[in-house]
Amino acid sequence: MAEKKTWSQRFESALHPALARFNASINFDIELIEYDLTGSVAHAKMLAHTGVIEPSEAELLVNGLEQIRQEYRQGSFNPGIDSEDVHFAVEHRLVEIVGDVGKKLHTARSRNDQVGTDTRLYLREQIQQIRQQLIAFQTVLLDIAENNLETLIPGYTHLQRAQPLSLAHHLLAYYHMLQRDWERLGDVYKRTNISPLGCGALAGTTFPIDRHYSANLLEFDHVYQNSLDGVSDRDFAIEFLCAASLIMVHLSRFSEEIILWASEEFSFVILKDNCATGSSIMPQKKNPDVPELVRGKTGRVFGHLQAMLVIMKGLPLAYNKDLQEDKEGLFDAVNTVKGCLEAMTVLLQEGLEFRHQRLNTAVAEDFSNATDVADYLAAKGVPFREAYNLVGKVVKTSIAADKLLKDLTMEEWQHLHPAFAGDIYEAISPRQVVSARNSYGGTGFSQVKLAIAEARQQLTVSSS
Ligand code: ARG
């Protein structure tokens, strides 16, 4: 192992063991190994293509790299701390396998452009997987929405009953948030899929390399135009962490609603047994651990975004070791978002049973039809503000009399304003109140039906 000393003859002693441990990233950047191998294969092929090495040498390098891939997959390649990082680990093993020719792999390359390449290859794959997960979640949302077009649920502002809604309309709000997440990730992908390979340590290389050739092999859309920018840019990671944070905001908001809905106080939803947890002491408890965990995990993703911004803000060009700190947060954000999306999709698909009876009573036992009384008068020519004041008065007297608006007699309505007629009762029934909000994007049933159809269409396009 001592032979694995990496540094040039310039150094007379090995790094202090405590500092070697401190410096090493192998414990976490091993996550990048498959991308490192793929990047190295493309680099070796490019070196042969441009005549920097012989084709036979490239073949040896590529075969050696693929052997390392097999060893890693079989579990027999487990580099330790003495390798410092995944890049050195692979290079050392390559030399063990193919001999001295292995030492040619690092021609016209630096670990700086190498790690940038690996991270981008990793992230672009993760982005595509997360986008697929978003589509799966959206599909479940739409299925539930479709089955609940006419299920009513109280709508809130300030967490006070405001106006009743179609449950489908409520769920579609999340569909649209996730649609923006899907689109945003597509945008991040564009700026992630750019090759820094061949930027060298910072200034390019003296060898006649072809950066477009290796970029093509790796299916990058473009190459960085400036070598300094190429090796030190982490904007794509920051952008991803922003997009990931917003996904978590959306999942967390939804989680909060599910937690409320499942409470005794709301009782809008029953959590099915396979998606809820119990208490170790209170036998009656059924806890919404899944949405609580999602809400709780949101913080760490925000934290990784903040950390990455702070890492970057004072960095002079070009590579600085600070950049090694980009990985753990990024990996954790990716794993957290993927884990939360999976858990929430299962919860949504299998865990929620809406309590229709309870929802029906909920929308009928409050004053959330008050706006509709005002609208009723306004439609008959009473200026809205005047109607609004009248209805405010009747809400006050009704509360005092422990009555709901639907309990008022015709005389009481007429006393309030002569424009009231017998159709007021129908106009303020919850179903009619929802159905009447037929403006574009509103909760009226025919609008929501349209919105579901549009969303289905959109999902077909996203999935293709
Ligand atoms: N482990 C390093 C990282 O993650 C690789 C690049 C090291 N480059 C250097 N010049 N020390 O950033």
Side-chain angles (χ1 to χ4, degrees):
M1 290 294 159
E3 179 237 336
K4 282 193 179 172
K5 265 287 311 112
T6 314
W7 313 120
S8 68
Q9 303 294 321
R10 184 191 199 286
F11 285 82
E12 292 195 345
S13 71
L15 188 58
H16 187 291
L19 301 187
R21 279 195 301 278
F22 182 68
N23 206 37
S25 53
I26 187 73
N27 286 342
F28 51 88
D29 66 16
I30 190 72
E31 175 102 24
L32 293 176
I33 186 163
E34 297 258 359
Y35 309 97
D36 195 73
L37 293 165
T38 303
S40 288
V41 165
H43 181 66
K45 287 183 177 169
M46 183 281 293
L47 290 178
H49 174 76
T50 52
V52 176
I53 62 172
E54 293 300 319
S56 56
E57 293 176 319
E59 203 181 316
L60 284 172
L61 294 176
V62 170
N63 290 342
L65 290 163
E66 292 305 340
Q67 182 180 324
I68 298 174
R69 198 190 297 277
Q70 289 318 316
E71 291 174 359
Y72 176 73
R73 288 185 183 173
Q74 285 156 7
S76 58
F77 181 54
N78 300 298
I81 210 88
D82 48 311
S83 294
E84 184 181 330
D85 62 21
V86 67
H87 322 294
F88 277 142
V90 167
E91 195 177 330
H92 289 145
R93 180 70 192 127
L94 185 65
V95 174
E96 278 174 11
I97 296 172
V98 302
D100 275 353
V101 65
K103 295 178 182 166
K104 290 199 171 185
L105 177 65
H106 213 52
T107 316
R109 186 177 74 169
S110 150
R111 277 185 303 157
N112 300 350
D113 55 342
Q114 188 179 355
V115 72
T117 304
D118 296 2
T119 311
R120 285 166 180 82
L121 292 176
Y122 160 84
L123 191 59
R124 75 177 188 189
E125 194 172 307
Q126 301 303 325
I127 288 175
Q128 295 302 35
Q129 288 177 14
I130 294 171
R131 290 182 101 206
Q132 285 308 314
Q133 284 191 292
L134 286 169
I135 292 175
F137 188 73
Q138 286 177 299
T139 306
V140 178
L141 270 173
L142 282 191
D143 291 345
I144 301 181
E146 212 148 52
N147 291 331
N148 287 283
L149 177 66
E150 302 210 2
T151 304
L152 305 187
I153 186 168
Y156 297 81
T157 63
H158 313 269
L159 205 55
Q160 305 291 321
R161 295 272 180 96
Q163 290 165 352
L165 299 169
S166 148
L167 174 56
H169 191 57
H170 193 117
L171 297 174
L172 278 174
Y174 287 101
Y175 168 89
H176 288 288
M177 293 180 219
L178 294 165
Q179 182 60 23
R180 289 195 293 276
D181 291 329
W182 183 86
E183 287 170 16
R184 206 170 352 258
L185 280 179
D187 209 44
V188 176
Y189 187 93
K190 288 187 214 152
R191 282 178 297 281
T192 300
N193 204 27
I194 303 176
S195 173
L197 194 56
C199 287
L202 75 165
T205 170
T206 54
F207 292 93
I209 61 167
D210 184 344
R211 291 188 52 209
H212 292 93
Y213 187 84
S214 49
N216 270 336
L217 289 179
L218 295 170
E219 294 177 351
F220 279 116
D221 294 327
H222 304 284
V223 301
Y224 273 87
Q225 290 174 284
N226 179 292
S227 61
L228 292 166
D229 183 38
V231 288
S232 63
D233 171 37
R234 293 294 183 274
D235 290 358
F236 68 98
I238 294 177
E239 283 189 54
F240 171 78
L241 291 168
C242 281
S245 294
L246 276 170
I247 294 174
M248 292 306 296
V249 168
H250 300 150
L251 294 183
S252 184
R253 290 181 70 182
F254 196 25
S255 294
E256 173 64 15
E257 298 214 274
I258 293 171
I259 294 163
L260 284 173
W261 290 348
S263 70
E264 193 80 33
E265 285 69 17
F266 276 76
S267 296
F268 290 172
V269 89
I270 293 172
L271 292 180
K272 298 213 189 122
D273 286 0
N274 65 345
C275 292
T277 44
S279 153
S280 62
I281 170 170
M282 297 168 281
Q284 86 284 10
K285 289 292 290 285
K286 203 173 187 187
N287 293 330
D289 280 18
V290 170
E292 286 175 308
L293 263 178
V294 170
R295 190 177 59 184
K297 283 176 189 288
T298 301
R300 60 205 280 169
V301 179
F302 292 2
H304 297 318
L305 168 62
Q306 180 67 10
M308 195 67 225
L309 286 166
V310 176
I311 288 167
M312 294 309 291
K313 77 169 272 290
L315 281 195
L317 289 173
Y319 178 86
N320 299 270
K321 188 75 169 186
D322 313 44
L323 289 175
Q324 181 165 288
E325 285 292 304
D326 64 355
K327 282 170 241 357
E328 285 165 288
L330 190 63
F331 298 162
D332 186 66
V334 163
N335 294 335
T336 303
V337 166
K338 286 168 88 175
C340 289
L341 273 170
E342 187 187 6
M344 286 296 280
T345 306
V346 171
L347 179 68
L348 198 57
Q349 192 159 33
E350 299 188 24
L352 302 186
E353 190 183 315
F354 284 96
R355 300 181 61 179
H356 294 268
Q357 195 69 40
R358 161 76 188 139
L359 286 169
N360 272 333
T361 344
V363 291
E365 67 185 13
D366 58 22
F367 288 88
S368 60
N369 51 4
T371 318
D372 299 80
V373 180
D375 285 355
Y376 177 96
L377 285 180
K380 297 204 170 184
V382 181
F384 180 79
R385 186 55 64 211
E386 199 179 306
Y388 163 92
N389 283 327
L390 270 175
V391 180
K393 207 159 74 186
V394 77
V395 167
K396 188 162 120 188
T397 51
S398 300
I399 291 173
D402 201 16
K403 275 174 147 190
L404 291 169
L405 292 175
K406 65 172 186 221
D407 304 324
L408 296 187
T409 63
M410 205 56 235
E411 289 72 50
E412 286 172 307
W413 283 119
Q414 294 255 300
H415 178 71
L416 194 67
H417 199 286
F420 282 113
D423 58 353
I424 180 64
Y425 294 103
E426 164 64 7
I428 62 171
S429 76
R431 195 151 302 276
Q432 179 54 29
V433 163
V434 173
S435 170
R437 290 205 158 63
N438 234 335
S439 51
Y440 181 80
T443 192
F445 300 124
S446 44
Q447 281 301 323
V448 177
K449 209 168 162 178
L450 244 150
I452 294 175
E454 272 175 18
R456 282 258 182 245
Q457 183 59 31
Q458 195 171 49
L459 265 195
T460 327
V461 178
S462 312
S463 328
S464 64

